[in-house]
Amino acid sequence: MSASTDPGVRSLVASVLWPGFLGRTAPDWLLHALDEGLAGAVYFGQNIDPEDAEQLPALSARLREARPGALLGVDEEGGPVTRLEAAFGSTLPSASQLGRVDDTAITRAAGVELGRRVRASGANVALAPVADVNTNPRNPVIGTRAFGSTADLVGRHVAAMVSGIQAGGVAACVKHFPGHGDTAVDSHLGLPHVTLPGAEVEAEHLPPFQAAIDAGVAAVMTSHVVVDAFGDLPATLDPRVLGMLRERGFAGAIITDALDMAAIRAEFGAGAGAVRALLAGADLLCIGNPSDLGPKHGATSDLDDYAEVHDALLAAVDDGTLPLAALERASRSVADLSEWTDAASRAGGSSLGDDDFDPTQVVREAIVVRGTVPADVPAGERVVLDLRDRASGAVASTAEPFSVALGAARAVVGPLGGRDVVAVMCDALGDIPESSAVVALVDAVQPGSPQRRALGMLAAARPSALIVNTGLPAPDELALPGLDTYGSSRVTARVVAETLVGVRA
């Protein structure tokens, strides 16, 4: 009997897979896979109806009806990364804002609230917090998702957030081991390398993961990042790197970052990558978000993505590449995580929350005003000039809450990379009346960046314009006054409106 026809082997394979799916109801293939033993599913924005508060809990109930104990995850960090509020933007502060306030009691309270929201959706795994130490200011995918740029700061807030999330019976999954913070490539689009010496990685990037382990984190997500000092493979596929995680005392579930990301799919193939990840010591294989275009440019379905990985594992068992012992080990770890969530859910209070937690106040304290910003934006029609880079695959949400909060028209100019900045800005400013009050949205303002050049032109043409920087701050002065917000969430936009136009958030 081949693996593909052996019910026991098929069940083992299904038990280590964690797919996404399309639609707001459960597709037939997903229900069949759950019945066969599938570990569960991961929710993304396309699975959630923002107008119906009962839709997602009902979907969760249907999936658990098909498989009691299913692990239902949601990629919910707060700040720029939200699925539960993808349609309008998050009402929780970013990790960077929490790090600036630097009060671990507040960060724990934010974790409690995040966990409460995840639990209310019917999910039981939050893919948060980010333990990456953002030491590269040009990092295109972490940035304000990190609590900060030093290991001590990030570590204490990671521990607090893990504690808060798990207090309500939701498993936290800290990410992205062994660190995505010193990269200049987005692993959704390519394969990043960390070129730091191994001792520097050990000293500056691993401690926050140790803090999470010491706090009892239930799961750790791998990164598709090659740390050159540790080997030639991305961490997700490297037994040495995943062994380092176990050596640090972590006994929970090791979850891969999404296998549909280009760092794996384009370099190795999602199916072959899945086999190698299991052999390296990973337990639960996150297949990814089928609504992403990715290397296949959208020429795939949710079932195609699942079948690619599922069938590759079966074939690897048949040809002897993947020992059944590796599947059995991973399946036991996934089952342990399911049992953890069941026990934690029974122990955690369903109404657990902190009435003193005020996301708006956190954002107010985190924002920095640069230069002289008028108490009220000058009279005239307001225009938000959006110069920002395109959101990474991690952020996904297309919500733009700033123009809404400011009651402004929005002129989308970015991303500017690879374009003639002078021509683009001349065209954009030519379409905005001189009487308009221009608020420039930026998120990549390091010296020499296209957005910096655009701001220089804006300062010369419209010296009354203001800047709202939703990314990390520049190391030097910008050409115009404005705000460094350390985040792009809906609650951040409301505080910006409060600051600039007197609309109380």
Side-chain angles (χ1 to χ4, degrees):
M1 179 182 292
S2 71
S4 60
T5 58
D6 184 325
V9 175
R10 291 182 66 89
S11 180
L12 266 180
V13 166
S15 72
V16 301
L17 299 182
W18 215 26
F21 62 96
L22 298 173
R24 295 172 178 174
T25 58
D28 289 342
W29 72 262
L30 180 61
L31 295 175
H32 175 73
L34 287 165
D35 184 60
E36 192 173 55
L38 184 68
V42 183
Y43 293 138
F44 294 96
Q46 78 268 2
N47 303 126
I48 300 167
D49 184 349
E51 305 297 336
D52 182 0
E54 300 303 318
Q55 173 264 329
L56 190 55
L59 174 58
S60 298
R62 179 68 185 96
L63 298 183
R64 285 214 174 80
E65 181 183 340
R67 180 166 176 75
L71 292 170
L72 302 179
V74 60
D75 200 8
E76 189 72 16
E77 299 173 13
V81 177
T82 178
R83 269 48 183 198
L84 297 178
E85 298 184 287
F88 306 111
S90 178
T91 52
L92 289 176
S94 70
S96 187
Q97 289 166 339
L98 289 165
R100 278 195 50 76
V101 173
D102 197 12
D103 184 329
T104 55
I106 291 175
T107 296
R108 186 183 188 279
V112 168
E113 176 58 19
L114 190 154
R116 185 196 65 76
R117 295 181 184 193
V118 170
R119 180 167 173 164
S121 77
N124 52 12
V125 182
L127 299 181
V130 166
D132 304 313
V133 182
N134 198 87
T135 52
N136 186 339
R138 298 180 187 275
N139 195 318
V141 69
I142 302 300
T144 62
R145 297 169 64 199
F147 289 106
S149 59
T150 64
D152 287 347
L153 173 69
V154 173
R156 61 178 175 265
H157 286 278
V158 163
M161 180 66 75
V162 166
S163 173
I165 291 171
Q166 296 192 165
V170 169
C173 177
V174 71
K175 54 193 185 185
H176 310 79
F177 186 84
H180 209 314
D182 198 74
T183 58
V185 173
D186 180 351
S187 50
H188 293 85
L189 305 176
L191 181 58
H193 282 251
V194 170
T195 60
L196 300 174
E200 191 171 339
V201 176
E202 291 269 2
E204 297 189 11
H205 292 273
L206 297 189
F209 294 96
Q210 187 65 58
I213 293 167
D214 295 344
V217 72
V220 174
M221 178 172 281
T222 65
S223 68
H224 305 328
V225 172
V226 178
V227 179
D228 290 345
F230 297 160
D232 298 328
L233 291 171
T236 299
L237 312 184
D238 193 327
R240 178 187 174 187
V241 175
L242 300 193
M244 291 168 59
L245 185 52
R246 295 302 189 198
E247 290 165 5
R248 288 177 168 269
F250 179 64
I254 298 177
I255 302 176
T256 70
D257 207 345
L259 297 172
D260 67 348
M261 293 162 62
I264 299 298
R265 178 174 256 172
E267 297 283 338
F268 303 91
V275 174
R276 296 180 74 155
L278 284 174
L279 292 173
D283 301 314
L284 184 57
L285 307 176
C286 179
I287 295 175
N289 183 354
S291 70
D292 288 345
L293 292 178
K296 288 191 172 183
H297 305 292
T300 184
S301 71
D302 49 5
L303 177 55
D304 291 335
D305 286 352
Y306 173 71
E308 179 182 1
V309 175
H310 178 270
D311 294 351
L313 296 186
L314 289 175
V317 173
D318 270 339
D319 68 17
T321 304
L322 180 61
L324 280 178
L327 274 173
E328 290 166 345
R329 181 218 78 237
S331 184
R332 283 194 300 271
S333 183
V334 174
D336 288 344
L337 179 59
S338 177
E339 291 174 8
W340 186 99
T341 61
D342 285 346
S345 179
R346 289 192 296 271
S350 59
S351 61
L352 185 64
D354 188 340
D355 293 338
D356 294 330
F357 175 61
D358 183 354
T360 301
Q361 185 56 35
V362 172
V363 175
R364 285 192 190 116
E365 291 183 27
I367 283 179
V368 173
V369 177
R370 290 181 303 93
T372 302
V373 174
D376 194 0
V377 170
E381 185 178 355
R382 289 185 289 271
V383 174
V384 167
L385 185 65
D386 197 339
L387 305 174
R388 295 177 298 176
D389 290 341
R390 184 173 292 109
S392 74
V395 174
S397 173
T398 58
E400 198 295 275
F402 290 90
S403 56
V404 175
L406 290 167
R410 181 188 181 204
V412 180
V413 179
L416 296 172
R419 302 167 69 192
D420 183 337
V421 174
V422 173
V424 169
M425 287 297 291
C426 285
D427 288 346
L429 293 173
D431 292 335
I432 299 174
E434 291 284 345
S435 60
S436 296
V438 177
V439 177
L441 278 182
V442 293
D443 63 1
V445 291
Q446 300 305 310
S449 71
Q451 291 181 36
R452 279 295 288 268
R453 294 198 295 273
L455 289 178
M457 290 188 63
L458 179 62
R462 305 290 176 92
S464 63
L466 297 171
I467 297 170
V468 173
N469 176 22
T470 66
L472 296 176
D476 55 354
E477 289 297 318
L478 298 179
L480 291 164
L483 308 175
D484 287 326
T485 68
Y486 296 86
S488 56
S489 62
R490 182 169 23 143
V491 66
T492 301
R494 290 174 180 168
V495 173
V496 167
E498 168 190 313
T499 305
L500 297 184
V501 298
V503 177
R504 191 69 178 169

